[in-house]
Amino acid sequence: MLPSTAFTLLWSLALFTLASLSLLYILRCFLHFNMVKDEFLHHVGVNYLFAPWISWLLLLQSTPFFMPGSNYYLALWWFFVIPIVALDIKIYGQWFTKGKRFLSAVANPTSHLSVIGNLVGARAAAKMGWSDSSICMFSLGMAHYLVLFVTLYQRLPGSDRNIPAMLRPVLFLFFAAPSMASLAWNSISGTFDKSSKMLFFLSLFLFMSLVSRPTLFKKSMKKFNLAWWAYSFPLTALAIASTEYAQEVKSSTAHLLMLVLSTLSVVVSLILMVFTAFNTNTVLPKDDGLQSPIDTGSPV
Amino acid sequence: MESSEHLGLSNQDSPEVVPSLIKFIDSNEVVGFDSDEDKNLENQYQTGFHSLTPSATETETAAVHSQSGHSHQRTCSISISMPSSPLEVHEQNSKRVLFRDHDEQIFNNRIAHSYVPSTNGGTKQAKFLSAPIPAGSAFDEAVALGLFPNRPVLPPKNPRIERLKDTRFDSFKTWSGKFEKQLSHLRGKPRETGPDANSPRKVEVETLPVDRYFDALEGPELDTLRPSHYVEKLGHFCFHKVPAYKPGCKPHPVVHSCCSIVAIVFVIYMLKVIFYFEAVRREYYHPIRINFFFAPWIALLFLAIGVPPSVAQNLHAALWYILMTPIFCLELKIYGQWMSGGQRRLSKVANPSNHLSIVGNFVGALLGASMGLKEGPIFFFAVGLAHYTVLFVTLYQRLPTNETLPKELHPVFFLFVAAPSVASMAWAKIQGSFDYGSRIAFFIALFLYFSLAVRVNFFRGFRFSLAWWAYTFPMTGAAIATIKYSNEVPNIVTKSLSVILCVIATLTVTSLLGTTILHALVLRDLFPNDIAIAISDKRPKTTRKWFHRRTVSSDKDIENYLKFSVSDGNDIEASLAPPSSITTTSIQNSGTAGTHSNQSPSGPEP
């Protein structure tokens, strides 16, 4: 049990980081709108547009400063969920209507981020007690998760183009989505019931499946790159889900699992922070690592 | 002595066996036939052939031609277009083809291969070699009579062993080398030593009873043999023998017989693993056969589910963990391959037999829930459900990148029914009652059953094979699920449905059992040689232009099948290098007359 001050400190640190990052991105929107547009048009970059909203929602859920039922919480929830829904409408609609951006052409593991966005919004809503909006977001997320899961598993020919080898760490997002879904359903139904357990087990299985294939990640692990941060969030989500699971099923194996996963996620996050600190010069290259297929050749 | 035998035979044989043929055989015998060297062999064939023409008279050869032509027409579609190595330009001359027609006569149709060029259309194809395939009683007679002269001169004792010992097929050797010498010494046979196995054999000799093809091979171009290897299929056979829910059967003898069958099959397969590890490895790389690695574990799970109370009241939970561990490891490997494997991605390899890899999850969940375990069954149910969704969608899509399943394998479409029915039973056990989730799964299974059952033509037109055992497990699974459902919702419709389905399932099982025994022991055409896994690692330089009536896609299929054998280093999932001594290409290039040809005689392929 961390003392609450330590928790508040950590949370404030996270808030500060996120706030500064958001500010920087707002500046980028104003000053380098071309680059933002390019990100929007890129099949991988577009999914990361969900990332700030996800982060804000996660921060909102864990805030120590006001309770979930309060008006602040409500207002902020609306503020963060509306962009997610707007992006949903745009991107999911593109999946099955826009020729150049059909799902079969653009599907890649980072598309899970859109699903995760919905699920995080669902969880935040459920914590408020708004069951209908939470179920709405949840069903949105799960329906598209189903489609995405199948598409990614099929690995239709040509889909290899979508992920360069350096971005293989994003494969970890495969098990981030079911973990978040398990947590969301846990919040919606009140207990860690069978569906949550099933989602958690699916996530665990996918995690083990990926971890037992180190050769997949060999190429991307040769040198530190920003994609390594893709490891952190899924591991943390899985660890949180395992915590909920262990609380429900009070068995020794569950607790052991929780311990292992939590340790792993903390260690990985720390290592990533250290690596990033030592490699700040390489982390921010002159241009975006991704070459947009519809690159307009914007100057940096 | 051999020659005198042959000459003696020539008098007794039917007119179709031509004296000149026998002379031809003779000359080959003399010249040191069946030596280790391929080149020698080829030369002999050529010289033999050439020696024939000067020795035979015009009329004789004409007679031969005409008779073999007649025989061609009489036989079922021959088209033994077996691809040989691309390096052999003159393979067509040296091909020796063995035909078998309806009258079950075997004649060495060496002359007939002069037709082969026309059959082939004169194109250079990558040919392939098959081991001589056991063809049944007539074949055995022929071997015994020495009519099959490419054997070493040995007493005709066990034709099957003779066939296995044919060393010209050592390039496809799956026999573990170290045991070879010892065993052959034990048998007292002279054995060729290693070098011939290691030399890159451009083997161009084929001995192929025609019917064997259609029994043995399937695939758009008759590429693979029955995917259901006999060992795994006998595991299937044990599935439906679980008597737990069948009314009116005596458990003990059946269970004990099942256990003994499973034990026997296990022992046989362990022996295969030890002695023919190469074959097992190649089966692992085969897109259809890999799924059958689950079969023994599923069979054991069902046996554990169905163990009668008098034999064992409470099975220990450790048994469940023991049984599920291999399934879990296989799953990790195979599902991961679907997701990340280059050559073995799901969009390419998806076929209904993949259901076998999913059903194992549900069966494990069912057993675990019956034992009273809580979390483990849910784990496997969740994993199975998620991957079942993926597979179901993929199979329903029938993606263009997905090769069409050959007609011989249509029985495995019934596996569509197996997964939801077992899932409904598993969920009912987990939940404690046949609730909505179970009912949804059950109705899906029922719908698929009916929609497949009314497609009579889809399941007709191919001869009996071990693939037919794919009918049994889904039918019995559906029957059992219906019984459980009718227990929950007892009315006249459900009860009659359960009775009907049980009767159908029982009839299917018994008739299949009878037919299998008939074919295995009486007709002896059930266990062909395992060509399907004799795949090379090199693609042919020439593209083949075979006719295959069955499928639309041609070269793409070949590429797909070939790719399964090629490990080009880009495939993350390819762990080991395929055997390098094989230079001939994979079997599908043999593809010829479609499936219908085994029914009606037709001329050789143009």
Side-chain angles (χ1 to χ4, degrees):
Chain A
M1 302 296 157
L2 281 176
S4 56
T5 46
F7 175 71
T8 316
L9 203 62
L10 272 174
W11 189 89
S12 311
L13 189 64
L15 177 68
F16 173 69
T17 317
L18 189 56
S20 44
L21 278 173
S22 306
L23 198 62
L24 281 170
Y25 203 79
I26 291 174
L27 283 174
R28 180 176 159 129
C29 285
F30 283 128
L31 300 178
H32 292 288
F33 187 66
N34 296 348
M35 289 169 65
V36 176
K37 207 155 65 97
D38 288 341
E39 275 180 23
F40 184 73
L41 294 173
H42 193 273
H43 59 278
V44 171
V46 69
N47 297 308
Y48 278 94
L49 292 177
F50 283 92
W53 314 110
I54 295 175
S55 312
W56 278 112
L57 277 170
L58 285 173
L59 218 56
L60 182 67
Q61 283 172 33
S62 56
T63 177
F65 292 128
F66 40 81
M67 290 306 293
S70 67
N71 288 333
Y72 293 122
Y73 192 99
L74 194 65
L76 285 170
W77 185 86
W78 274 112
F79 185 69
F80 296 137
V81 162
I82 287 180
I84 289 185
V85 174
L87 274 170
D88 272 351
I89 293 175
K90 179 75 181 144
I91 291 167
Y92 292 158
Q94 270 180 354
W95 278 6
F96 66 100
T97 54
K98 186 132 182 143
K100 262 191 276 190
R101 281 184 266 277
F102 277 151
L103 180 61
S104 48
V106 303
N108 64 81
T110 56
S111 309
H112 284 293
L113 278 172
S114 55
V115 171
I116 292 173
N118 289 308
L119 295 169
V120 172
R123 184 156 194 247
K127 283 221 182 302
M128 275 200 296
W130 279 28
S131 57
D132 282 332
S133 8
S134 71
I135 290 188
C136 170
M137 302 286 295
F138 183 80
S139 53
L140 258 183
M142 285 316 280
H144 293 94
Y145 177 59
L146 176 69
V147 174
L148 185 66
F149 188 68
V150 172
T151 309
L152 285 177
Y153 241 103
Q154 283 177 339
R155 298 202 55 235
L156 300 163
S159 65
D160 273 345
R161 291 195 290 271
N162 289 349
I163 282 287
M166 294 304 278
L167 283 188
R168 289 267 169 82
V170 302
L171 281 172
F172 266 49
L173 284 172
F174 256 105
F175 65 87
S179 307
M180 277 319 297
S182 150
L183 288 169
W185 189 252
N186 178 29
S187 308
I188 290 173
S189 68
T191 60
F192 207 81
D193 64 350
K194 288 216 173 70
S195 314
S196 305
K197 283 188 196 172
M198 287 186 5
L199 286 164
F200 169 64
F201 287 139
L202 176 65
S203 168
L204 197 61
F205 179 80
L206 291 170
F207 168 67
M208 284 193 271
S209 171
L210 280 173
V211 155
S212 58
R213 268 159 230 286
T215 46
L216 265 184
F217 302 101
K218 214 164 50 152
K219 223 177 184 183
S220 64
M221 296 298 283
K222 283 194 183 131
K223 199 164 109 57
F224 178 77
N225 66 78
L226 209 54
W228 287 24
W229 275 100
Y231 292 135
S232 62
F233 171 64
L235 283 171
T236 316
L238 186 62
I240 298 175
S242 72
T243 313
E244 299 279 344
Y245 175 68
Q247 279 176 352
E248 170 76 19
V249 178
K250 303 173 189 24
S251 78
S252 49
T253 31
H255 281 285
L256 184 66
L257 188 65
M258 168 186 88
L259 218 56
V260 165
L261 288 172
S262 312
T263 320
L264 187 64
S265 79
V266 168
V267 164
V268 165
S269 304
L270 283 174
I271 290 178
L272 281 173
M273 282 196 252
V274 165
F275 263 92
T276 314
F278 281 137
N279 288 314
T280 36
N281 49 340
T282 54
V283 150
L284 299 171
K286 280 222 90 182
D287 56 85
D288 288 332
L290 307 167
Q291 290 305 313
S292 166
I294 322 170
D295 196 20
T296 58
S298 61
V300 172
Chain B
M1 56 165 181
E2 187 94 358
S3 46
S4 60
E5 277 180 50
H6 285 299
L7 286 172
L9 278 169
S10 64
N11 298 331
Q12 299 159 16
D13 283 342
S14 64
E16 280 79 22
V17 180
V18 179
S20 57
L21 270 171
I22 295 182
K23 271 200 209 123
F24 182 45
I25 294 165
D26 245 359
S27 55
N28 265 340
E29 287 287 316
V30 170
V31 183
F33 186 86
D34 195 21
S35 71
D36 297 348
E37 304 290 315
D38 253 357
K39 298 266 186 342
N40 279 350
L41 217 52
E42 184 192 41
N43 293 338
Q44 280 149 37
Y45 286 157
Q46 287 186 319
T47 52
F49 185 72
H50 292 316
S51 68
L52 169 66
T53 30
S55 61
T57 64
E58 288 296 327
T59 51
E60 267 189 75
T61 47
V64 164
H65 277 276
S66 62
Q67 281 182 351
S68 37
H70 284 312
S71 62
H72 258 289
Q73 277 131 27
R74 264 194 8 213
T75 60
C76 10
S77 54
I78 315 281
S79 53
I80 309 285
S81 25
M82 297 297 275
S84 64
S85 109
L87 302 175
E88 292 308 316
V89 179
H90 38 262
E91 69 269 22
Q92 289 163 5
N93 290 334
S94 50
K95 247 193 334 193
R96 194 179 134 245
V97 179
L98 197 69
F99 289 106
R100 179 176 166 213
D101 64 0
H102 288 306
D103 300 332
E104 306 230 341
Q105 282 180 351
I106 299 200
F107 47 97
N108 223 334
N109 208 339
R110 209 175 288 270
I111 308 299
H113 72 254
S114 63
Y115 284 76
V116 176
S118 57
T119 328
N120 302 344
T123 55
K124 281 188 233 170
Q125 298 93 358
K127 309 266 183 192
F128 126 96
L129 168 79
S130 84
I133 304 167
S137 53
F139 187 83
D140 300 330
E141 275 172 19
V143 171
L145 291 171
L147 197 59
F148 195 13
N150 61 340
R151 301 254 166 268
V153 182
L154 290 168
K157 10 189 193 352
N158 189 342
R160 199 160 289 220
I161 295 179
E162 296 293 330
R163 289 187 281 272
L164 287 177
K165 286 290 180 195
D166 192 346
T167 60
R168 284 165 304 137
F169 303 95
D170 274 355
S171 54
F172 295 105
K173 185 164 79 154
T174 58
W175 180 257
S176 301
K178 56 186 192 290
F179 291 108
E180 238 181 300
K181 288 210 175 82
Q182 291 136 358
L183 286 174
S184 50
H185 278 310
L186 283 174
R187 286 195 188 143
K189 290 200 188 111
R191 189 104 183 107
E192 296 89 351
T193 52
D196 63 310
N198 294 331
S199 64
R201 296 178 74 97
K202 299 148 190 72
V203 203
E204 58 277 5
V205 176
E206 314 151 5
T207 47
L208 307 155
V210 171
D211 302 23
R212 259 333 99 234
Y213 268 93
F214 310 115
D215 287 348
L217 303 178
E218 70 252 347
E221 299 105 36
L222 289 175
D223 47 357
T224 54
L225 280 180
R226 319 240 146 267
S228 47
H229 194 278
Y230 67 93
V231 174
E232 291 90 340
K233 267 308 183 180
L234 281 176
H236 257 279
F237 167 66
C238 287
F239 288 174
H240 55 269
K241 282 298 224 174
V242 173
Y245 302 107
K246 291 246 168 94
C249 59
K250 296 195 193 333
H252 287 195
V254 180
V255 169
H256 289 149
S257 63
C258 288
C259 288
S260 46
I261 291 175
V262 170
I264 290 171
V265 168
F266 247 74
V267 165
I268 294 176
Y269 203 76
M270 280 303 120
L271 288 175
K272 177 170 176 178
V273 168
I274 294 170
F275 292 126
Y276 285 95
F277 184 68
E278 182 61 28
V280 175
R281 207 172 62 79
R282 288 187 210 160
E283 278 178 2
Y284 183 72
Y285 286 128
H286 193 280
I288 293 177
R289 291 185 183 204
I290 175 108
N291 300 304
F292 285 89
F293 278 86
F294 286 92
W297 313 109
I298 299 179
L300 285 175
L301 282 170
F302 267 114
L303 274 178
I305 290 174
V307 70
S310 46
V311 171
Q313 194 69 32
N314 277 325
L315 293 170
H316 202 272
L319 176 69
W320 186 83
Y321 287 104
I322 291 172
L323 284 177
M324 292 312 286
T325 308
I327 292 185
F328 180 68
C329 298
L330 270 172
E331 267 178 7
L332 270 183
K333 178 76 179 143
I334 291 172
Y335 297 162
Q337 260 182 7
W338 288 2
M339 196 182 357
S340 66
Q343 307 297 346
R344 278 178 270 279
R345 54 179 66 187
L346 192 59
S347 54
K348 273 194 195 167
V349 305
N351 62 81
S353 60
N354 284 118
H355 281 288
L356 275 176
S357 47
I358 309 275
V359 165
N361 292 307
F362 294 130
V363 179
L366 180 59
L367 176 64
S370 326
M371 281 178 170
L373 298 167
K374 285 274 179 300
E375 304 301 313
I378 299 182
F379 178 87
F380 281 101
F381 189 86
V383 171
L385 186 64
H387 293 90
Y388 177 66
T389 323
V390 175
L391 183 67
F392 188 70
V393 173
T394 310
L395 287 176
Y396 244 100
Q397 281 176 332
R398 307 296 302 269
L399 293 165
T401 51
N402 205 352
E403 63 268 3
T404 318
L405 207 65
K407 205 160 169 56
E408 263 73 26
L409 280 189
H410 281 178
V412 302
F413 270 93
F414 256 74
L415 285 174
F416 264 100
V417 178
S421 45
V422 182
S424 80
M425 287 192 280
W427 190 247
K429 261 287 186 307
I430 291 175
Q431 288 290 83
S433 71
F434 209 86
D435 71 342
Y436 288 138
S438 307
R439 288 179 204 203
I440 289 173
F442 170 67
F443 291 138
I444 292 174
L446 216 56
F447 171 76
L448 289 168
Y449 194 155
F450 288 141
S451 87
L452 283 172
V454 298
R455 290 181 193 287
V456 182
N457 282 333
F458 193 66
F459 296 103
R460 272 178 42 183
F462 46 93
R463 71 172 39 217
F464 180 78
S465 71
L466 281 177
W468 284 38
W469 280 96
Y471 288 130
T472 61
F473 170 49
M475 282 187 183
T476 50
I480 298 174
T482 317
I483 293 174
K484 288 196 86 75
Y485 179 64
S486 68
N487 284 342
E488 193 79 15
V489 181
N491 62 51
I492 184 71
V493 174
T494 57
K495 286 204 186 301
S496 52
L497 187 65
S498 59
V499 168
I500 290 171
L501 286 182
C502 280
V503 165
I504 292 176
T506 318
L507 279 175
T508 312
V509 169
T510 40
S511 57
L512 271 177
L513 182 60
T515 324
T516 309
I517 291 176
L518 175 73
H519 275 263
L521 300 175
V522 174
L523 297 175
R524 304 228 189 154
D525 55 4
L526 198 62
F527 296 141
N529 209 337
D530 216 353
I531 306 180
I533 54 177
I535 301 181
S536 79
D537 62 344
K538 290 212 184 78
R539 303 241 325 250
K541 293 200 180 68
T542 61
T543 59
R544 27 150 303 165
K545 300 169 181 54
W546 287 119
F547 295 99
H548 28 92
R549 297 179 193 152
R550 246 177 302 189
T551 62
V552 184
S553 63
S554 54
D555 290 328
K556 206 190 272 189
D557 287 357
I558 306 163
E559 278 195 29
N560 287 343
Y561 273 106
L562 283 172
K563 273 188 183 149
F564 295 132
S565 64
V566 174
S567 162
D568 53 4
N570 299 329
D571 181 0
I572 296 163
E573 292 296 332
S575 51
L576 301 167
S580 55
S581 60
I582 299 171
T583 55
T584 55
T585 62
S586 86
I587 296 171
Q588 75 250 10
N589 295 328
S590 67
T592 58
T595 46
H596 323 294
S597 48
N598 56 357
Q599 305 296 329
S600 58
S602 57
E605 290 290 325

